[in-house]
Amino acid sequence: MSKGELLYALLLIPADGYKEDTGHKFERVSVFEGSLLVDLDSFTAKRKQKRYDSFTHKVDTGHHPEIYLSPTDSSVYIVTKSQRDWLLGIQPPHCRLEVLKKLNLVESLKIGSRVYVTIPTIPDPVKGVVRYIGVVRGIEGTQFGIELLERKGEGTHDGHFKGHKYFKCDKDCAVFVA
């Protein structure tokens, strides 16, 4: 890890965390398995403030309130920034661990890879091809733009989403999946 690079972790089991209230006291809160954490040793701005010295991680929510905790080493799994970006799109958070197990396979996917996707409105997995990998406006985490090779016309778009073109295919022959 280079200097200034954040270190991320996935919480494997539920834990107690603490958030600072308006009176600068800490209130106990539950942190759920699958929550993404930032290692505070790499989060130097907060480590300089003495009141955070008893914590080792901050919950990676992307917004306030900030929640801090000190999980045991065996209750977290260190993830890379790209893995963290993939996992952010997985909801609910407790499903992230299962996805993490498959992440090495997912990280090997590239544009043109043949895949099977599960679509809520279709009972069986559908064959498709990866046409886009990256951030999509309005959706958190890394997304895959999949052109459906089967069940054409049962997708949700044509590669355009919220006024932005990510790839091109026939109308209702594509989906985005995390």
Side-chain angles (χ1 to χ4, degrees):
M1 181 174 79
S2 63
K3 186 176 172 100
E5 185 178 336
L6 294 178
L7 182 64
Y8 299 97
L10 180 72
L11 187 63
L12 301 176
I13 59 173
D16 287 330
Y18 297 86
K19 69 178 182 177
E20 191 173 11
D21 66 18
T22 55
H24 299 291
K25 295 183 178 156
F26 286 103
E27 174 187 341
R28 187 174 170 170
V29 294
S30 295
V31 180
F32 302 103
E33 68 183 84
S35 295
L36 288 161
L37 310 175
V38 179
D39 177 68
L40 286 179
D41 282 334
S42 66
F43 198 66
T44 55
K46 288 292 181 193
R47 286 303 280 170
K48 291 179 182 174
Q49 298 179 25
K50 290 291 184 196
R51 66 180 176 267
Y52 298 106
D53 282 347
S54 61
F55 303 113
T56 59
H57 289 79
K58 172 183 158 318
V59 176
D60 185 14
T61 60
H63 53 78
H64 295 286
E66 292 182 339
I67 299 171
Y68 299 89
L69 68 158
S70 294
T72 64
D73 288 343
S74 63
S75 69
V76 296
Y77 182 86
I78 302 301
V79 296
T80 65
K81 178 169 184 342
S82 72
Q83 288 172 325
R84 174 246 187 214
D85 292 345
W86 298 88
L87 291 169
L88 271 176
I90 307 302
Q91 295 296 331
H94 71 268
C95 294
R96 291 175 177 157
L97 181 57
E98 193 60 38
V99 170
L100 184 62
K101 293 175 184 176
K102 300 174 185 173
L103 203 50
N104 286 336
L105 171 66
V106 170
E107 287 181 326
S108 70
L109 291 176
K110 54 187 173 253
I111 304 298
S113 293
R114 302 276 177 155
V115 296
Y116 282 90
V117 294
T118 302
I119 301 171
T121 58
I122 300 173
D124 297 318
V126 178
K127 189 188 296 185
V129 62
V130 177
R131 297 291 184 213
Y132 174 80
I133 302 171
V135 175
V136 173
R137 277 189 210 160
I139 304 175
E140 194 169 34
T142 300
Q143 300 294 308
F144 292 89
I146 309 295
E147 179 181 359
L148 303 178
L149 298 177
E150 303 172 336
R151 310 292 295 252
K152 291 184 177 266
E154 295 186 54
T156 57
H157 58 83
D158 63 356
H160 288 78
F161 186 76
K162 292 192 175 184
H164 185 72
K165 178 180 174 182
Y166 295 94
F167 61 96
K168 184 174 173 46
C169 70
D170 293 338
K171 182 179 180 189
D172 294 330
C173 289
V175 293
F176 282 111
V177 296

